[in-house]
Amino acid sequence: MPSNYLDFEKPLVELEEKVNELKSFMEEKEIDLTEEIERLNKRAKVLQEEIFSNLEPWQILQIARHPERPTTLDYIELVCDEFIELHGDRQFSDDKALIGGIGRIGDVPVTIIGHQKGKTTKDNIERNFGMAHPEGYRKALRLMKQADKFNRPIIALINTPGAYPGVGAEERGQAEAIARNMMEMAGIKVPIIVVIIGEGGSGGALGIGVGDRVLMLEYTYYSVCSPEACAAILWKDAKEAETAAKALKITAKDLMELEIVDGIVSEPPGGAHKDYQLSAQLLRDEILKEINKLNELSPEELLKQRYNKFRKMGQIKEESEKILSEL
Amino acid sequence: MLKDFFGKSKYVTVERKSRPSRRSSEVEGSGKEGRKEMPDDLWTKCKECKEIIFNKKLAENLKVCPSCGKHFRLTATERISLLIDEGKFEEYDANLEAINPLDFPNYEEKVEKYQRKTGLKDAVITGIGDINGHTVSLAALDSRFLMGSMNSVVGEKLTRAIERAIDQELPLIIVAGGGGGARMYEGMLSLMQMAKTSVALKQLEQAGQLFISILTDPTYGGISASFASLGDINIAEPGAKIGFAGPRVIKQTINKDLPAGFQTAEFLLKYGMIDKVVKRSELKHTLGKILDIHQMGSMRGERDA
Ligand SMILES: [Zn+2]
């Protein structure tokens, strides 16, 4: 059996195993089993659709964290016709957990920033598991301001468990870096497309998350805190993470309903890691569509709409006796 | 007794508009630990120097330990009394209340519990008031209310306070104090209040208004990583614990002991994250001086755009 399958995929993997067995049996014994194989393949397809159309938030989170999931650089490679990575925040260092650069998608020049995870342990240690330091956020801001100067749309790809909790990060102002980015992103006069491509971990995600369109890939999550942390705090038991994942409303569908995100980008059957090419194609189409729409707005209109979008987020109860509203 | 002191005319009455009658707010001790060790209402044991302090004495000293200078936490009401000229505060948006948008288990009960405990509707009081004669838009968080965490109500009230500062051309002062960051029970709606307040502060900046952020113990997570770090001037109280990630999380992550004085106001000053550490007894005076100087700027007349 392949090592990297998820619990709920087990019946599917077993079916695939069976197909493989039949195939080798067929070759060995020179018996024609094509019909049987065809039948099993069809069943697998139906089963996959069934499983993936009824995923629980916790299962979606596992796909979002899948070690083989395409990373920011994987998407850049497949989405862009050209890309040049640019490094450093000009103040302290170059953060490998949050990368950026300039590129071209068809005839559209873009600036892309995004959290970068690794796939192997070694790779992940180098990328700090996609957990950025302040210098990562400051590099992102530098590149966004550059994009603003040269009138290039910005694409921000989010994929982080959270901003890094460490001594150096605190010394260099992790909180300030994230806060500053959100504030400055409100004033950048070019279209900003934000896409959650894997994990949307809290403030670390939001630090590059203020944009005109916030999209989520189908099997990703975006959360105020990790379900594990939430469970540990509220239920005093990290094993309740599944319950927390549900309660926190972290899936693309939930966040569409709460009007936190603007759209969902489809993924190939079984998740983005099953077909990099198709995932990238779907993402590219969506990005180009949104950029084209946003390009029609004047900078003033763009900023106004961006402000209003975030301004109206939240749900409260306001008694009617209130008369002092300045809004 | 404490109540008397902060209620005393010397330290100002907080006027409220269209506010249903409510219990006069209780004055908290030093937080959980301090309260536990309080033998009765007369004493508080300082958890820093272990000194036993008369509560009356503590209140007279603005809830700062007379022997070691530890700054105990203030409630939002006490903070307003400390900073605003007598009788010169008008509360706004007092009737905003939390709902349970995610149907999160037990959230309503939690909110009700803290409403009873604090006499507040949620974790922030906002309004307009005078500091040494300067009218400002003021917001003060209350760290007792679900750890001073930010939810839709807190974010909305802060944003309106920012918008009042823009519309009425007032300086903005926000006193942050919350260890809870973005409030979990409202999920992403809470997280997005970080973005909401930050984008509103961009508008304040574009309107050319002053924002002074006052960071008090504790300021963490979604509070520190949004409005609290974005002041034109950031001021912290001595010894206040301020940071992005909680010390326990950091310790677990790096598997090492944290350096002495880590994440204190003085630590942030050393690393250039705040402008000043100002004692509580001097806070109003310092703000008054900043506002004096700030007002002089306008004597140069309109600046070319
Ligand atoms: Zn003391």
Side-chain angles (χ1 to χ4, degrees):
Chain A
M1 273 197 197
S3 55
N4 266 325
Y5 71 92
L6 303 166
D7 275 354
F8 57 87
E9 290 179 307
K10 201 172 177 200
L12 204 57
V13 176
E14 281 168 355
L15 215 54
E16 279 166 15
E17 286 288 295
K18 196 135 186 220
V19 170
N20 289 338
E21 268 171 38
L22 285 181
K23 274 183 187 160
S24 41
F25 190 75
M26 188 168 87
E27 276 165 30
E28 242 173 70
K29 310 276 174 185
E30 293 180 9
I31 317 167
D32 185 18
L33 292 168
T34 14
E35 236 172 76
E36 178 68 4
I37 288 169
E38 184 67 7
R39 199 178 57 82
L40 283 180
N41 274 335
K42 259 189 197 153
R43 220 170 89 197
K45 207 168 168 249
V46 172
L47 187 63
Q48 186 180 53
E49 266 168 33
E50 244 174 57
I51 291 173
F52 277 81
S53 58
N54 290 301
L55 290 174
E56 290 291 320
W58 180 247
Q59 296 169 329
I60 291 178
L61 176 136
Q62 286 174 291
I63 305 176
R65 287 178 180 167
H66 200 290
E68 286 163 10
R69 209 175 157 80
T71 65
T72 289
L73 282 171
D74 291 326
Y75 280 117
I76 286 174
E77 165 93 28
L78 294 166
V79 165
C80 292
D81 297 288
E82 263 176 279
F83 183 76
I84 301 162
E85 189 177 346
L86 302 172
H87 295 271
D89 68 344
R90 301 292 187 272
Q91 296 177 56
F92 182 74
S93 75
D94 182 48
D95 192 338
K96 291 188 168 65
L98 210 173
I99 62 107
I102 56 173
R104 180 171 67 78
I105 306 175
D107 55 2
V108 181
V110 290
T111 287
I112 304 184
I113 53 172
H115 302 100
Q116 184 60 37
K117 284 192 187 180
K119 288 212 180 79
T120 61
T121 306
K122 184 175 163 281
D123 202 13
N124 251 323
I125 287 166
E126 192 190 325
R127 298 293 182 181
N128 203 30
F129 298 84
M131 294 185 283
H133 279 74
E135 43 275 19
Y137 294 100
R138 290 178 183 133
K139 170 170 68 177
L141 183 57
R142 178 176 78 83
L143 295 178
M144 288 191 281
K145 286 190 162 172
Q146 187 188 83
D148 194 7
K149 179 178 174 185
F150 298 111
N151 202 21
R152 276 195 295 269
I154 296 163
I155 299 161
L157 302 179
I158 291 177
N159 189 13
T160 181
Y164 187 65
V167 173
E170 296 289 326
E171 287 172 349
R172 299 192 291 279
Q174 187 73 288
E176 193 271 347
I178 289 170
R180 182 73 53 198
N181 274 22
M182 291 188 290
M183 178 172 163
E184 294 303 332
M185 286 176 92
I188 290 195
K189 298 181 296 297
V190 294
I192 303 174
I193 316 273
V194 177
V195 191
I196 321 285
I197 59 164
E199 295 192 86
S202 194
L206 194 51
I208 55 167
V210 173
D212 304 295
R213 292 284 189 277
V214 179
L215 311 174
M216 285 176 80
L217 296 200
E218 201 173 350
Y219 307 121
T220 61
Y221 80 95
Y222 198 179
S223 181
V224 66
C225 61
S226 80
E228 288 89 341
C230 174
I233 294 166
L234 294 184
W235 288 282
K236 313 285 175 215
D237 184 358
K239 287 190 204 104
E240 290 290 331
E242 248 180 280
T243 317
K246 205 168 196 164
L248 285 167
K249 303 273 195 290
I250 60 174
T251 65
K253 237 189 244 168
D254 288 331
L255 294 173
M256 282 291 285
E257 268 173 40
L258 290 169
E259 298 182 31
I260 302 285
V261 302
D262 306 297
I264 302 174
V265 184
S266 308
E267 290 187 29
H273 57 289
K274 302 276 182 186
D275 189 341
Y276 276 33
Q277 282 290 343
L278 182 55
S279 304
Q281 187 59 47
L282 291 165
L283 178 62
R284 178 188 158 113
D285 291 349
E286 209 60 39
I287 287 172
L288 285 177
K289 197 177 87 193
E290 297 295 354
I291 288 179
N292 283 335
K293 273 192 265 177
L294 293 166
N295 271 341
E296 300 194 348
L297 302 174
S298 68
E300 295 72 31
E301 189 56 31
L302 189 72
L303 290 193
K304 201 174 116 195
Q305 286 185 15
R306 192 184 300 157
Y307 178 71
N308 289 338
K309 171 183 159 63
F310 287 91
R311 174 66 187 88
K312 68 176 170 52
M313 286 183 187
Q315 290 184 21
I316 54 165
K317 176 165 74 187
E318 188 166 16
E319 289 164 27
S320 52
E321 65 177 323
K322 188 195 159 289
I323 16 137
L324 292 166
S325 175
E326 273 70 38
L327 288 176
Chain B
M1 277 147 288
L2 295 175
K3 211 183 296 180
D4 290 341
F5 182 74
F6 274 104
K8 253 185 205 167
S9 53
K10 183 180 161 198
Y11 272 87
V12 166
T13 341
V14 179
E15 287 178 3
R16 287 165 205 292
K17 261 202 174 166
S18 67
R19 162 165 281 255
S21 64
R22 63 175 209 200
R23 249 155 43 112
S24 63
S25 55
E26 287 169 28
V27 175
E28 286 269 300
S30 59
K32 273 184 203 153
E33 298 86 344
R35 283 176 71 83
K36 244 184 249 162
E37 297 184 22
M38 234 188 271
D40 55 38
D41 279 357
L42 293 172
W43 308 89
T44 298
K45 188 176 178 184
C46 174
K47 66 175 177 178
E48 205 67 40
C49 70
K50 316 292 177 208
E51 194 83 9
I52 304 281
I53 318 158
F54 262 122
N55 282 345
K56 186 163 178 282
K57 177 92 178 154
L58 189 60
E60 276 170 9
N61 209 34
L62 306 172
K63 293 178 93 175
V64 175
C65 173
S67 75
C68 75
K70 178 183 167 53
H71 284 52
F72 291 69
R73 291 174 190 173
L74 293 186
T75 68
T77 312
E78 289 167 349
R79 181 64 64 179
I80 291 163
S81 300
L82 175 80
L83 296 179
I84 298 288
D85 303 342
E86 187 182 331
K88 294 287 187 186
F89 185 73
E90 197 177 304
E91 183 175 359
Y92 281 65
D93 304 317
N95 53 346
L96 265 60
E97 258 186 279
I99 58 171
N100 187 1
L102 310 188
D103 288 320
F104 204 101
N106 306 321
Y107 182 41
E108 284 106 334
E109 289 82 353
K110 285 245 161 57
V111 169
E112 277 164 28
K113 180 181 144 194
Y114 282 96
Q115 285 180 334
R116 278 196 306 275
K117 199 178 153 196
T118 62
L120 302 170
K121 286 263 171 76
D122 217 297
V124 69
I125 295 179
T126 57
I128 288 182
D130 289 1
I131 296 177
N132 289 351
H134 297 283
T135 305
V136 301
S137 176
L138 179 82
L141 273 85
D142 198 309
S143 64
R144 294 171 305 163
F145 200 106
L146 278 162
M147 294 169 78
S149 54
M150 181 151 63
N151 65 338
S152 297
V153 173
V154 173
E156 179 66 24
K157 286 178 81 167
L158 289 174
T159 306
R160 290 187 192 183
I162 296 165
E163 288 171 341
R164 270 194 293 280
I166 297 169
D167 295 341
Q168 302 182 33
E169 300 183 7
L170 299 172
L172 171 73
I173 296 178
I174 301 178
V175 186
R183 190 178 301 170
M184 273 184 295
Y185 307 94
E186 292 184 31
M188 282 298 291
L189 290 167
S190 292
L191 192 79
M192 285 304 164
Q193 304 308 311
M194 294 167 64
K196 180 157 120 184
T197 52
S198 301
V199 303
L201 285 171
K202 185 69 187 178
Q203 301 229 324
L204 185 82
E205 181 189 275
Q206 285 164 345
Q209 286 302 330
L210 172 69
F211 170 34
I212 303 172
S213 176
I214 301 171
L215 298 95
T216 69
D217 185 62
T219 298
Y220 275 93
I223 308 281
S224 65
S226 63
F227 61 89
S229 293
L230 294 172
D232 296 299
I233 297 172
N234 295 335
I235 294 173
E237 285 195 330
K241 297 284 269 177
I242 303 158
F244 174 70
R248 210 167 37 89
V249 174
I250 298 174
K251 217 177 146 177
Q252 270 171 13
T253 307
I254 64 173
N255 208 11
K256 270 185 210 150
D257 283 332
L258 301 173
F262 184 62
Q263 291 186 323
T264 58
E266 294 73 15
F267 172 91
L268 267 79
L269 184 71
K270 178 183 164 193
Y271 285 100
M273 291 302 143
I274 55 174
D275 291 279
K276 262 185 125 45
V277 176
V278 177
K279 282 186 207 155
R280 189 171 292 163
S281 57
E282 289 163 17
L283 188 56
K284 180 170 180 175
H285 178 66
T286 303
L287 290 176
K289 279 201 296 188
I290 293 170
L291 293 167
D292 283 343
I293 294 167
H294 180 70
Q295 197 183 35
M296 290 172 75
S298 65
M299 289 167 69
R300 294 180 60 239
E302 289 289 305
R303 197 170 40 177
D304 292 334

